[in-house]
Amino acid sequence: MTAEELINALNILAPPSYAMEWDNPGLLVGDKTHKVDSVYLALDASGPVIEKAGACDMLITHHPMIFSAIKSVQADDFIGKRIIRLIKTDTVYFAMHTNFDCAVMGRIVSEKLGISSDQVLEEIEGAPPLTGIGCAGNLKEKMTLRDLAAFVRKSFCLPPVRYYGDPDLVISRAALCPGSGKSETGSALRSGAQVYITGDVDHHFGIDCVEKGIAVIDAGHHGLEHIFVDFMARWFEENYPDVRVVRDNNSSPFQTI
């Protein structure tokens, strides 16, 4: 199978047309005619990931390594160094970001948390119903904010998570946006949710949301999105069982003491 053939299948899973205007998913480095017998799956194309991916034919990540225009590729620039390494090891590099968020991420995160996902926070033009950025829905069972935060932590095997709001607040409806969800706060409020589960939450955002009438659970940017690696591993197992899949260890990029 060529990289182009695999990319065509990945584009059916997460259509490029679903991506946000500012995003840059797709084939970022490499030859689309390259034969692919093995893939390396990771959330980010960091330096260590690229070193390990060099033993595979193709690297697939959620977050694109390249967002803005690059005027030169040089080894003394950290992005340039990564690109050079990919080229030297003849590793094709492909990313699925906000197109994957719209097509898959919100659904699989809500399913893992038992949230009904009856609406999306930001609809995508031309996409099927309930396809878009983030989602909102009812919990299978009501629980307190404290217990829901603990459930999120346990479900995604996270380090301690922060939450803003009354610990004893009873939650029946939640909104979520894996990754960084500040831009969808208005939609989360309008969804009727009592809590917003997202990442990259800062002090002022948290306390302001509580004052606006919605609690917040900060699961971290990596916290909810690392599910990408496991999902894609299963996707390959079901669709391309002959392709050797190597998963990144997918650990949190930060430590707490």
Side-chain angles (χ1 to χ4, degrees):
M1 177 175 55
T2 66
E4 184 174 27
E5 290 171 332
L6 178 54
I7 288 169
N8 288 339
L10 293 170
N11 285 341
I12 293 173
L13 172 67
S17 61
Y18 290 3
M20 303 290 101
E21 290 184 1
W22 50 264
D23 200 8
N24 190 40
L27 177 61
L28 299 182
V29 178
D31 181 354
K32 63 185 179 181
T33 67
H34 188 58
K35 191 172 185 292
V36 175
D37 292 316
S38 59
V39 299
Y40 192 95
L41 302 174
L43 192 66
D44 296 283
S46 63
V49 163
I50 287 173
E51 285 296 320
K52 290 179 284 188
C56 294
D57 301 311
M58 188 170 183
L59 168 63
I60 300 175
T61 70
H62 180 47
H63 297 135
M65 179 180 68
I66 303 170
F67 273 103
S68 54
I70 296 177
K71 294 185 178 181
S72 66
V73 177
Q74 301 183 37
D76 57 359
D77 170 74
F78 78 104
I79 295 295
K81 184 178 180 180
R82 295 178 190 176
I83 294 172
I84 291 170
R85 178 61 179 169
L86 287 164
I87 294 171
K88 282 185 175 180
T89 59
D90 202 14
T91 305
V92 178
Y93 172 44
F94 184 82
M96 296 185 288
H97 191 210
T98 52
N99 52 324
F100 184 88
D101 288 337
C102 292
V104 181
M105 188 72 82
R107 172 176 56 82
I108 60 176
V109 171
S110 61
E111 287 174 356
K112 196 171 184 67
L113 293 176
I115 297 172
S116 63
S117 185
D118 54 50
Q119 70 180 94
V120 296
L121 300 186
E122 182 178 349
E123 295 182 343
I124 302 301
E125 185 176 351
L130 297 180
T131 302
I133 296 292
C135 63
N138 298 325
L139 276 64
K140 287 184 178 179
E141 296 182 2
K142 295 179 181 180
M143 62 180 77
T144 65
L145 176 60
R146 180 194 294 109
D147 289 343
L148 180 57
F151 180 60
V152 170
R153 178 186 180 187
K154 180 180 179 181
S155 298
F156 286 86
C157 302
L158 303 179
V161 301
R162 298 182 302 164
Y163 63 90
Y164 296 80
D166 179 0
D168 296 319
L169 175 68
V170 177
I171 307 294
S172 60
R173 185 171 177 81
L176 64 87
C177 184
S180 183
K182 290 182 182 179
S183 62
E184 305 299 337
T185 307
S187 297
L189 285 164
R190 290 189 293 273
S191 73
Q194 296 137 310
V195 64
Y196 187 28
I197 306 169
T198 187
D200 290 346
V201 173
D202 59 47
H203 171 80
H204 295 288
F205 176 81
I207 62 175
D208 289 351
C209 280
V210 172
E211 190 165 342
K212 292 175 183 177
I214 191 168
V216 176
I217 295 175
D218 180 7
H221 197 122
H222 170 275
L224 300 182
E225 290 194 327
H226 72 74
I227 199 173
F228 169 83
V229 172
D230 287 342
F231 176 87
M232 289 306 305
R234 290 193 300 272
W235 185 86
F236 272 97
E237 184 178 341
E238 293 170 1
N239 295 277
Y240 297 96
D242 293 335
V243 174
R244 182 172 66 90
V245 174
V246 181
R247 309 185 197 196
D248 187 56
N249 61 19
N250 216 15
S251 59
S252 173
F254 65 89
Q255 305 296 322
T256 57
I257 57 173

